Amino acid sequence: MIQILKHFGWTWAGLLISDDDYGVHAARSFHSDLGPADGGCLAYTEILPWGDDSAELKRIVDVMRKSTARVVIVFAHKTHMINLMKEVVRQNVTGLQWMASEAWASVDVLQTPHLMPYLGGTLGIAIRRGEIPGLRDFLLQIRPDLHHGNADGKSVVNQFWEHTFQCRFAPPPAGWVEAEGELCTGQEVIENVESELFDVSYLRPEYNVYKAVYALAYALDDMLQCEPGRGPFSNNTCAHLQRMEPWQLVYYLEKVNFTTTFGDQVSFDENGDALPIYDIINWVWLPDGRTKVQRVGEVKRSAFKGEELTLDEDKIFWNFESKQPPQSVCSESCPPGTRMATKKGEPECCFDCVPCSEGKISNTTDSMECTSCPEDFWSSPQRDHCVPKKTEFLSYHEPLGICLTSISLLGTLICVLVLGIFIHHHSTPIVRANNSELSFLLLVSLKLCFLCSLLFIGRPRLWTCQLRHAAFGISFVLCVSCILVKTMVVLAVFRASKPGGESSLKWFGAVQQRGTVLVLTSIQAAICTAWLVSASPVPHKNTQYHNDKIVYECVVGSTVGFAVLLGYIGLLAVLSCLLAFLAKNLPDSFNEAKHITFSMLIFCAVWVAFVPAYISSPGKYADAVEVFAILASSFGLLVALFGPKCYIILLRPERNTKKAIMGRCTTK
């Protein structure tokens, strides 16, 4: 019955049992074997009274009527069902799917037109129907004994004969002949008689007896085949038919295994129980009001395949308007994307469907738990499968990345143009003033600053993570070193113009300037090398910012190394700013210290604002902030330092003379 419940998805059923071992054993089996994993739950279990207890029957039928279970299983006897159906008819409880145990599955008294509106479509378990070859021919050969009777004077066959042909054997009872009664001759034609005794098409208990007799015959035959000295008992003895012990016969019965002519296997399991086989029958309510019990399947257990259920659903009669199997569940199945949550105080078959939380899925119906997606995956909107997480990084294809790339390339192009202008006008006083070689080197370093920002755009790789900060640090130190040396040269030139200051210029010749830039830049290169060797920046998949995204970023590896790199740049920038500030009031028509001071103020302001913005920006926006700081400070230096010179070279060439630059007054 549990197999049938599982087959039709009936997870919510009621159980009615008789108040005896038959019903109690069935209830115990259902409660132990029936569960959410094995077919469902019992909505109620009621014990049917033996007598016609109308009050108790009314209460039981009330429970059935109010319950949401549409399937009712009854393990009881015919008398219980007759009394129960009286109350069912009285309350007109329809719309139930009945399941019958073998005790009443074939009872004719319940298969009446009066009860079929309620019991039509019943599915029952019945003892296996079989055929016994030759039984009908044997029965038709039976003839009455005309000479011997039983203790009462007549044998069972003679009594059957008299009842069937409405005659009497001699000597007839008094008055029989006078009443024109016929005498039995024993030659009546029995083949033309219609009687249930000759209907061998629905043999059920008889078929079991037939198999039992054959099992015993096979066991005895096997026992008789035993060879003395090679027997299975002590001292290799055999059992003797005349002196056979019961346990010896049981030994051979355990080994019986044969197939009947009807195709049924007969054998016994380790407990000595015969392998069960049952028919599944269905009560059909025909349009003309008649009732027919038809076989629609079977349940059997074999030694190799276990328990098997076979059903021909097309043959089943369903006593419902839809002509389809009913739904009998406490709660509808939970679809994929949800999990079952048992309702407090109710059976496990009664549950709520709770959607899986973010990052978890269930891809089966009636899932007990939601499973977490792998690290690189996230739950779909329906929560029924995992999808790869979206990736996020500062890409060349998004508007922000395109904008920053364009600005970087624009800055590089401007540097190239300015460098070209300076090379073309390298012999003019304004280019030659204050060491043109440093100006060229400064333009190259600014171009490197613009280009190094491109390393922060695109998917982080190991080489880009290692190169981006090193290139950025060295490029900016080279740039700031050139500015610092230019500032020191400005101070040295004006000090040399004073009495007694000529000796200061010997410390700021071209070689010393190149050496100073090289030493200051080498220090930064050493810092970067130590950082990369000790704790190199590496690409990292960050899943902390967003649950449904993977943010690709470069972790700095050593925060101390990154801080020292920035701190060294800041130290040189502050030192340049201070020296330029001291030289800003020196007399000159074109005092470059003023421009250096302004450029350093821009530079310091940008990088002071960068630190908190960088720390508070997640993922790709941290890279965008750093790129913006690089570009802003680079443009600040480029415009502040070279803008005025390019203005004079291109638009005011009359001021590009030694006299104008060294003069005390501004040329109109």
Side-chain angles (χ1 to χ4, degrees):
M1 283 191 171
I2 292 177
Q3 292 284 340
I4 297 174
L5 293 176
K6 292 173 64 176
H7 180 82
F8 290 108
W10 296 334
T11 60
W12 190 233
L15 177 63
L16 304 180
I17 61 172
S18 58
D19 191 10
D20 56 10
D21 289 344
Y22 177 73
V24 172
H25 177 73
R28 187 181 299 115
S29 298
F30 266 99
H31 281 285
S32 61
D33 298 339
L34 189 64
D38 297 305
C41 305
L42 293 176
Y44 54 85
T45 302
E46 297 292 340
I47 300 176
L48 297 172
W50 278 102
D52 190 8
D53 188 344
S54 59
E56 180 64 10
L57 289 172
K58 181 179 181 302
R59 185 192 66 80
I60 293 173
V61 175
D62 282 340
V63 172
M64 295 166 54
R65 179 169 50 82
K66 294 176 182 178
S67 174
T68 57
R70 296 293 88 198
V71 175
V72 181
I73 306 168
V74 183
F75 266 85
H77 305 282
K78 176 177 67 175
T79 55
H80 294 96
M81 282 302 299
I82 292 173
N83 294 331
L84 175 66
M85 292 312 298
K86 292 178 182 178
E87 184 63 27
V88 169
V89 172
R90 193 186 69 81
Q91 295 194 29
N92 194 27
V93 180
T94 59
L96 297 178
Q97 175 63 47
W98 296 82
M99 294 186 66
S101 65
E102 76 281 358
W104 66 277
S106 303
V107 174
D108 294 338
V109 71
L110 295 173
Q111 300 169 19
T112 63
H114 177 61
L115 295 178
M116 287 310 288
Y118 307 93
L119 292 176
T122 295
L123 289 174
I125 303 295
I127 296 172
R128 173 72 160 175
R129 181 194 70 82
E131 295 180 0
I132 302 177
L135 178 61
R136 178 176 172 80
D137 295 337
F138 171 78
L139 293 174
L140 293 176
Q141 293 173 4
I142 295 176
R143 289 293 181 269
D145 187 353
L146 301 179
H147 305 288
H148 300 87
N150 57 9
D152 296 328
K154 294 180 181 178
S155 67
V156 174
V157 175
N158 287 12
Q159 294 180 42
F160 163 74
W161 207 271
E162 290 181 346
H163 173 76
T164 302
F165 294 103
Q166 294 297 305
C167 62
R168 294 292 182 269
F169 285 98
W176 177 260
V177 176
E178 290 76 5
E180 299 182 353
E182 296 183 5
L183 294 177
C184 298
T185 65
Q187 301 302 318
E188 287 80 7
V189 180
I190 199 172
E191 286 83 353
N192 298 331
V193 175
E194 292 185 3
S195 173
E196 292 181 357
L197 294 176
F198 297 107
D199 185 4
V200 295
S201 59
Y202 290 97
L203 302 178
R204 295 187 185 277
E206 299 86 352
Y207 182 58
N208 269 357
V209 173
Y210 167 78
K211 292 191 292 184
V213 172
Y214 261 84
L216 184 61
Y218 273 102
L220 290 173
D221 181 69
D222 193 17
M223 184 182 70
L224 294 176
Q225 300 298 324
C226 179
E227 298 180 9
R230 302 179 65 178
F233 306 117
S234 61
N235 298 323
N236 298 324
T237 58
C238 297
H240 296 280
L241 188 62
Q242 293 77 13
R243 301 187 304 275
M244 179 180 60
E245 296 291 338
W247 59 269
Q248 292 176 322
L249 180 60
V250 170
Y251 171 83
Y252 288 102
L253 278 173
E254 290 176 346
K255 299 181 179 300
V256 166
N257 190 343
F258 68 95
T259 303
T260 68
T261 56
F262 197 59
D264 294 337
Q265 181 186 8
V266 179
S267 61
F268 301 91
D269 62 16
E270 62 275 6
N271 298 320
D273 296 323
L275 295 180
I277 179 169
Y278 293 96
D279 284 339
I280 301 173
I281 60 175
N282 178 227
W283 291 14
V284 182
W285 190 15
L286 299 173
D288 58 4
R290 293 185 299 111
T291 302
K292 182 178 74 171
V293 176
Q294 65 177 3
R295 178 179 177 273
V296 294
E298 66 179 17
V299 180
K300 64 180 180 180
R301 189 173 72 221
S302 63
F304 304 102
K305 297 182 180 180
E307 194 168 277
E308 291 181 306
L309 170 68
T310 305
L311 274 176
D312 186 355
E313 294 189 41
D314 294 334
K315 293 175 61 177
I316 299 177
F317 168 75
W318 302 105
N319 194 25
F320 304 97
E321 291 184 5
S322 64
K323 303 302 179 183
Q324 296 294 323
Q327 294 291 320
S328 186
V329 295
C330 182
S331 300
E332 293 293 334
S333 295
C334 290
T338 63
R339 65 175 178 85
M340 296 191 299
T342 304
K343 295 180 180 179
K344 187 176 182 181
E346 297 189 25
E348 293 185 18
C349 292
C350 301
F351 49 81
D352 293 320
C353 296
V354 180
C356 294
S357 57
E358 290 186 346
K360 294 186 176 183
I361 64 155
S362 65
N363 54 9
T364 58
T365 302
D366 290 336
S367 177
M368 297 296 295
E369 296 292 339
C370 297
T371 56
S372 298
C373 290
E375 183 180 4
D376 292 347
F377 290 81
W378 194 246
S379 55
S380 64
Q382 295 78 22
R383 307 284 198 272
D384 57 356
H385 66 282
C386 293
V387 296
K389 288 183 178 179
K390 296 178 181 178
T391 57
E392 181 180 273
F393 54 87
L394 189 57
S395 170
Y396 288 107
H397 304 292
E398 61 178 300
L400 181 59
I402 294 173
C403 180
L404 294 176
T405 302
S406 301
I407 295 173
S408 174
L409 295 177
L410 176 63
T412 304
L413 179 61
I414 294 175
C415 286
V416 172
L417 291 176
V418 172
L419 183 60
I421 293 172
F422 270 50
I423 293 174
H424 185 265
H425 297 87
H426 69 280
S427 60
T428 60
I430 199 167
V431 175
R432 296 178 62 188
N434 201 7
N435 197 334
S436 59
E437 185 178 340
L438 282 179
S439 296
F440 294 152
L441 187 58
L442 180 58
L443 283 170
V444 172
S445 66
L446 282 174
K447 184 170 68 173
L448 294 176
C449 290
F450 282 114
L451 291 176
C452 78
S453 64
L454 298 177
L455 294 172
F456 292 84
I457 305 173
R459 183 165 179 167
R461 310 285 182 183
L462 179 60
W463 68 272
T464 58
C465 288
Q466 292 176 337
L467 188 59
R468 61 168 58 174
H469 289 107
F472 151 71
I474 294 174
S475 298
F476 267 89
V477 164
L478 177 60
C479 177
V480 176
S481 298
C482 292
I483 295 173
L484 178 61
V485 171
K486 286 173 70 72
T487 307
M488 295 170 65
V489 169
V490 170
L491 285 174
V493 167
F494 280 94
R495 179 167 295 182
S497 63
K498 295 182 179 181
E502 296 81 359
S503 60
S504 60
L505 277 178
K506 67 180 181 179
W507 299 105
F508 290 98
V511 176
Q512 287 81 1
Q513 293 176 28
R514 297 191 199 101
T516 303
V517 171
L518 179 61
V519 170
L520 293 177
T521 306
S522 299
I523 294 174
Q524 182 72 310
I527 293 173
C528 292
T529 302
W531 179 18
L532 294 178
V533 171
S534 62
S536 173
V538 292
H540 173 64
K541 294 190 296 185
N542 194 321
T543 58
Q544 303 301 315
Y545 296 140
H546 306 283
N547 290 328
D548 58 343
K549 290 182 182 179
I550 298 176
V551 178
Y552 286 93
E553 60 183 7
C554 289
V555 291
V556 295
S558 172
T559 306
V560 174
F562 187 46
V564 171
L565 180 143
L566 291 178
Y568 183 65
I569 297 174
L571 175 64
L572 295 181
V574 171
L575 185 58
S576 298
C577 186
L578 290 176
L579 293 178
F581 183 77
L582 294 176
K584 68 183 180 66
N585 292 324
L586 295 176
D588 194 344
S589 175
F590 187 83
N591 188 353
E592 193 174 15
K594 296 178 181 179
H595 304 135
I596 294 175
T597 304
F598 181 65
S599 66
M600 285 295 100
L601 287 175
I602 295 175
F603 184 88
C604 292
V606 168
W607 287 101
V608 168
F610 158 77
V611 175
Y614 180 83
I615 294 174
S616 61
S617 298
K620 68 177 183 179
Y621 298 104
D623 292 335
V625 167
E626 190 163 358
V627 172
F628 178 79
I630 293 172
L631 296 178
S633 56
S634 299
F635 269 110
L637 295 176
L638 180 62
V639 173
L641 293 176
F642 294 96
K645 294 182 180 180
C646 290
Y647 172 75
I648 292 175
I649 293 173
L650 298 176
L651 301 179
R652 299 294 297 274
E654 70 276 7
R655 295 181 58 183
N656 191 6
T657 61
K658 185 175 181 180
K659 181 178 180 181
I661 294 174
M662 299 301 295
R664 295 290 180 176
C665 60
T666 303
T667 306
K668 300 292 184 182

